[in-house]
Amino acid sequence: NAGVTQTPKFQVLKTGQSMTLQCAQDMNHNSMYWYRQDPGMGLRLIYYSASEGTTDKGEVPNGYNVSRLNKREFSLRLESAAPSQTSVYFCASSEALRGRIYGYTFGSGTRLTVV
Amino acid sequence: AQKITQTQPGMFVQEKEAVTLDCTYDTSDPSYGLFWYKQPSSGEMIFLIYQGSYDQQNATEGRYSLNFQKARKSANLVISASQLGDSAMYFCAMRGSGSQGNLIFGKGTKLSVKP
């Protein structure tokens, strides 16, 4: 099925470990995003990529890096995980459908626990 | 700065009754889009309904309708004939300004449908 695929779905890390969250979309969307969701906080933007080869910081970028490997893939890397990064991470992609209307598709999320 | 406010952390509704979930927004852009998403306990983000700032009529999608009051900057979600399966978190979101195009989310409302 067409959509956004995130891996892994669950991960437990020890403080200081590193890992990369993978995201791929097969809808030929230009824009891709990484969000984190914490209880009572809604979804907050970590990084986004408006097109292949470009990335920009969002609201909460500290402690993260991203790579837009190609049009399909947008990865999120934690270099040295901290307990404050325990969260659910969502990848999303978007494209203009009709003029100003944008369609957004979300992955199923990665639940990350840092101990 | 753009902002979405959802003032109801939790709501209860009786099965088969209608319920309104509140959302107010703040933006200086004349062109914007407003979205509602449902997040069941399984965690995925499910798109419900979209309203464009220039749309003349309120959006409707099945049992979902959006009560859009532009002058008051409100975009309330109305769910008619509530079902047990409607129990979930509901997020109001707005498309950000500029080229990044990310969604800005409210903190959400947890809806519980009582049998």
Side-chain angles (χ1 to χ4, degrees):
Chain A
N1 291 335
V4 177
T5 302
Q6 286 183 239
T7 56
K9 293 188 183 302
F10 301 92
Q11 184 72 49
V12 178
L13 289 179
K14 294 182 179 179
T15 297
Q17 286 186 320
S18 62
M19 80 160 294
T20 300
L21 280 63
Q22 307 287 352
C23 176
Q25 53 94 6
D26 57 7
M27 296 167 288
N28 204 36
H29 286 174
N30 279 321
S31 300
M32 297 186 73
Y33 315 88
W34 276 105
Y35 289 89
R36 61 177 287 172
Q37 182 181 19
D38 302 297
M41 295 296 292
L43 277 71
R44 293 181 293 169
L45 183 68
I46 305 171
Y47 269 94
Y48 68 97
S49 172
S51 62
E52 182 180 353
T54 68
T55 61
D56 282 290
K57 296 178 180 179
E59 180 185 354
V60 288
N62 291 344
Y64 306 95
N65 285 302
V66 290
S67 296
R68 184 73 182 268
L69 305 171
N70 47 56
K71 193 170 187 178
R72 290 187 64 248
E73 298 173 289
F74 187 37
S75 62
L76 178 72
R77 183 161 178 83
L78 287 70
E79 292 290 350
S80 178
S84 61
Q85 294 178 304
T86 293
S87 189
V88 179
Y89 292 85
F90 286 96
C91 178
S93 69
S94 74
E95 191 63 283
L97 297 177
R98 307 190 296 275
R100 302 185 187 94
I101 300 175
Y102 281 70
Y104 295 83
T105 303
F106 284 82
S108 57
T110 296
R111 187 174 294 275
L112 175 67
T113 302
V114 184
V115 297
Chain B
Q2 296 179 305
K3 187 178 179 180
I4 293 284
T5 303
Q6 294 181 255
T7 57
Q8 307 154 311
M11 291 276 290
F12 287 92
V13 65
Q14 201 69 37
E15 191 179 9
K16 299 182 184 178
E17 291 185 349
V19 63
T20 298
L21 306 183
D22 295 341
C23 172
T24 58
Y25 60 92
D26 191 15
T27 181
S28 57
D29 286 343
S31 176
Y32 51 89
L34 296 158
F35 300 75
W36 276 93
Y37 283 86
K38 173 184 179 181
Q39 187 179 45
S41 57
S42 52
E44 69 269 31
M45 297 293 287
I46 301 169
F47 168 74
L48 295 178
I49 197 166
Y50 168 85
Q51 180 82 44
S53 59
Y54 291 117
D55 293 343
Q56 295 297 312
Q57 295 188 336
N58 288 343
T60 60
E61 290 286 349
R63 293 187 300 112
Y64 304 107
S65 60
L66 202 152
N67 183 2
F68 181 48
Q69 299 188 45
K70 195 170 183 177
R72 300 178 64 179
K73 293 189 174 181
S74 74
N76 298 338
L77 177 70
V78 180
I79 305 175
S80 63
S82 297
Q83 302 172 356
L84 295 178
D86 294 334
S87 293
M89 283 290 292
Y90 288 81
F91 292 97
C92 181
M94 176 170 60
R95 183 178 180 272
S97 61
S99 62
Q100 64 192 60
N102 63 289
L103 289 175
I104 298 166
F105 285 85
K107 294 184 177 182
T109 296
K110 184 175 182 179
L111 177 67
S112 300
V113 181
K114 299 186 289 184

